[in-house]
Amino acid sequence: MEGYGFLILVSIYALLPFIWMLSTSLKTEAEAFRVPPTWIPIKATLSAYVSMWTKKHFAIYFLNSTIISLATAVLSTFFGALAGYGFSRYIFYGRKFLIGFFLATQMLPGVLLVGPYFKILSKFGLYDTRTGLVIAFLTICLPFSTWMMKGFIDRVPDALDQAALVDGCSRLGVFFRVVLPISAPGMVATIIFAFLLAWGDLLWVICLTSTESMVTVTLGIARTVGEFQIIWPMLMAGALMGGMPAIILYLLLQRLLVQGLTAGAVKE
Amino acid sequence: MKLFKIKDRHTWTFFVLPGTILLVLVLGFPAFQSILYSIYPEGGGSSYTLNNYSILFNDAVFRQVFGNTVFFVILSVVSHLLLGLGVALVLNREIFAKPVFRLIALLPWVVPDVVAGIIWRWMFDPVYGAFNDLLIKIGLISTHVQWLSNPKLALPSVVFVNLWRGFPFVMLILLAGLQSIPRVLYEAAAIDGASRWQLFSRITLPSLKKMLVVALALDIVWEVRRFGLIQAMTQGGPGNITEVLSTYVYKQYFQFFRFEYASAVAVVMTAALLIVSLPYIWMISQEE
Amino acid sequence: MRFFKTSILVVLGLAVLIGFSTSVNAQEKVTLRFSDWHLAEAPWDKTLADAMVLFEQRNPNIKVALEPVSYKDKETKYTVETAAGKGPDIFHLHAFSLPMFFDKGFAKDLTPFIEKEGGAKFLEPWYPLCINMMKYKGKVHAMPGDYMSMVLIYNTELFKEAGLDPKKPPKTWDEFLECNKKLTKPPERWGVAVLGAKDPGFELRFSPFLWSFGGDYLTPDNKKSALDTPDAKEAFKYFIELYTKYKVMPPGVPTMNAQDVRTQVAHRKTAMEIGSGWSAPIINSINPELKAFDVLSAAPLPYKKKKVTTIWLSSWVMNPNTKHPKEAWDLMKFITSKEMELNWFVKDGVTSSRKDVSEEAPEIRNDKFASVIASQLPYGKVVPQIPQWPEIMEAFTTAVQEAFTEMKTPEKALADAHDRINGILARKK
């Protein structure tokens, strides 16, 4: 099937940097600068990985990133689903405006928001805390999650809601027991994306934290780019390890993503 | 028209308000402050002026940056769409090792865009770069190409990397959407003798419409805001060829300390985005 | 599904719990927040950490909290925090960031502290140029730190291979061009590499060209661009043609940053670069096989009409929002003391803005690189210290890139930059 050829090409495109990242992460610093570059390390070593955990506090970075991103992903998807359901099923005055407002909040460049956010968070004592970061990220991820979930919930036929309501179910019950399970693939996609949005942020983390105990994986990687040197093997090792939680999250949730195949065969 | 029980009429507030309140509280203040800043004169002061905006519209660099941004965003979004849709369509079929391919197609999104910028920049290096090395080994090129310093190649190279990084998003949304199109529809149409193209245009596309709108709207907003990737790869150079609004605003604010002017640029940026996304907002608010 | 509700509550609770559990307890000691990009990089990180331990031993009532920051994001971080009334008590900045920080009120006036220490007499050990750069409206608002001059770093072995005498590096820019022609053997080797990227390091390397040709960026009153003088045009053309016409620079220069340049030297791809005390140690760590300390040498930069070089100066700033000014001043005094400045040289190879270290310390005088660097300090010139400078530099580097990549001729690129810079300066309030 010609689909295979296409997929293989795309896979090479997607995997190429990762192969290079893996290769570099296993090299010594000197070999990383070799010309011409080597794809298979002449002298393979795990020292970059070890250094990230021992010289840099990768364990702390990992913990911070995971907690923050997970909390952001789950909370934003949950509230986003709520709002998405509201936009999907109800007509009310100002609906179009609010939908537009949710999207508009994504449009302000982060550069402008950082300063005021910093002021707000420090006033509430949330500067340099995980909670503060989660709140900041929530406001970025929530509009996104709402739009995503509205799109997915829109595809769940209203008739199902009606049937359940007639059966005596409350609105909330309809939301939790009927709509959400059917839009599970959408929720999975939203959670994963929201997770990655929070995980990959740099600007907010730089400005809203100060101590080593609050550093995230992304910030830790960015710091390997010093004034004078870039420690490539460590950077690559950090980037690869940093991608692991998202991949694990995806692997855990991917069955729900596929579930749509059966759940979608709904009688219309 | 959607029907709802009489009791139900006000429960929309329960669903929609928590999010709205959070957003208004936390984003309203900075947004308002930015707009306020933009009408202060440069260097502070208490009088109001539209001077920043007139500087903006008269600045040749700003116009170039705006043009670059439009160009960059269109190329990025269209390429994301085409590749994402293509991959989603193939992955929707029954294929051997589908989960593996699906995972691979998602991988680029796992790398934060600043990190991706740093890594690709190194891969594009004219002397040390792995990319040139690979292309030479395969025999596609014979001498090292200056991907990022050649003015003709710089922006396409950035778009190339942005495609790599960004298509998984569109792919996953569309895949999730495709997965819930009931198989029976395709089977019935196939029995009726529909061609592949008809299956696609009459069943697939309309079902995907909502998801396409969501994906496009979000992607457009994000690509206009794309910062870390470009800053890490080219800092807007060579010259001003890869300078986009987000890197421009960043420079004005954090490198030149022109807070008021930067706010004006941001306001213009946001306003332009709002105008462009109006059709999408309208489309997604359509009642079925 | 109840699963959802409970899981959300769990996560939320977890987040709040963890968030609050990391709040710092109030202590009787004074805690100073000290931030420096060097804390994130070897070899400085250990040197600074050890020094802080020493400081804490001598000042038992003070605790120093170390806050590394990544090099390119430091201004972002300090701006955001200081503008909001917070920020580290002491932070480290390039001197060229100072005008902007001063202009926005992000640096505390140190005059009262200096007066208490003895006023002008206290400031004597430092080079006058360094102290002047710390002044805002005549008052000292920061203390000078590392002070280096740019010199020519060259590979003596490659010189020998090309038939050049390693003891006679080029003295004039004309000699420089001739040397480079002999050293250039593409695709293995080129003569010299310079930065082309929009990087603060660019002006360090380019300025000596401009100045020693007799030109300058701005008129002496800093009100207009001086890039239309014949000297300036000549210097610019000479610089650009090294790449476009004589091709003595490797491909890719328009986007090279300082690290790329050093990597070229480390791999013997280029024979020369313009660097300073940090060059040899870093090149050595990129490629130990080069034996950089033996093979590389330093020499004063070539000149045309007059000897001049760019100086590199770092500075220590006290946050105007600090709640412990007295303790912060003690820390600042410690860092810039004669004892510590010598320490920074011995451990990290940076020369000092203190005359009594750079000119007198035997460690510096006997060092192959430091002695040259220190000898050039008197010829040091500095770029205009005005808030618009970064924007002006951006316009200038844009012109350089456009000329390097032949998007415009050198003449047109420079003329466009000249107009743009005049536009920027005309905006001054």
Side-chain angles (χ1 to χ4, degrees), chain A residues 33 127 130 209 227-228, chain C residues 18 37 41 77 81 259 267:
Chain A
F33 282 109
Y127 173 70
R130 281 180 278 253
T209 65
E227 177 186 6
F228 290 133
Chain C
I18 288 167
W37 75 84
E41 217 172 332
K77 187 176 166 65
E81 295 196 18
Q259 184 63 358
H267 285 284

Side-chain angles (χ1 to χ4, degrees), chain A residues 29-257:
Chain A
E29 267 184 65
E31 193 186 338
F33 282 109
R34 200 171 170 285
V35 171
T38 53
W39 285 82
I40 302 180
I42 297 177
K43 195 173 130 203
T45 165
L46 286 176
S47 60
Y49 288 93
V50 173
S51 302
M52 280 304 266
W53 289 91
T54 54
K55 285 200 211 141
K56 306 231 172 212
H57 311 119
F58 209 66
I60 298 185
Y61 305 166
F62 229 85
L63 186 71
N64 288 335
S65 279
T66 309
I67 294 177
I68 295 170
S69 307
L70 208 54
T72 306
V74 171
L75 287 171
S76 77
T77 305
F78 177 67
F79 285 109
L82 272 180
Y85 183 78
F87 284 129
S88 174
R89 296 310 197 226
Y90 293 89
I91 317 259
F92 48 89
Y93 186 63
R95 177 173 168 269
K96 281 210 178 76
F97 171 76
L98 265 187
I99 292 179
F101 172 72
F102 268 64
L103 187 65
T105 53
Q106 295 263 277
M107 296 179 194
L108 282 170
V111 165
L112 286 190
L113 298 175
V114 183
Y117 260 71
F118 178 77
K119 281 199 192 121
I120 296 177
L121 285 186
S122 17
K123 204 167 277 196
F124 286 104
L126 288 174
Y127 173 70
D128 201 42
T129 61
R130 281 180 278 253
T131 316
L133 276 177
V134 170
I135 293 180
F137 288 151
L138 248 184
T139 54
I140 306 278
C141 292
L142 184 61
F144 156 75
S145 303
T146 307
W147 265 66
M148 290 274 284
M149 289 311 296
K150 177 185 182 307
F152 287 113
I153 292 178
D154 274 348
R155 320 204 47 237
V156 180
D158 197 34
L160 294 174
D161 292 39
Q162 298 308 314
L165 283 171
V166 162
D167 278 350
C169 201
S170 70
R171 259 305 172 177
L172 208 55
V174 170
F175 176 69
F176 277 114
R177 297 210 205 114
V178 179
V179 175
L180 276 193
I182 299 184
S183 44
M187 279 194 74
V188 168
T190 310
I191 289 185
I192 294 176
F193 285 140
F195 183 87
L196 287 171
L197 269 180
W199 186 278
D201 174 87
L202 191 58
L203 186 63
W204 298 84
V205 180
I206 289 176
C207 297
L208 300 178
T209 65
S210 65
T211 58
E212 184 72 5
S213 62
M214 279 298 140
V215 173
T216 61
V217 169
T218 309
L219 182 59
I221 298 175
R223 289 226 192 119
T224 60
V225 180
E227 177 186 6
F228 290 133
Q229 335 195 21
I230 304 182
I231 314 169
W232 286 113
M234 278 176 75
L235 197 157
M236 300 302 196
L240 282 174
M241 293 192 288
M244 283 293 119
I247 296 177
I248 295 174
L249 186 67
Y250 165 73
L251 289 173
L252 284 176
L253 295 177
Q254 70 166 333
R255 258 183 301 129
L256 289 174
L257 187 70

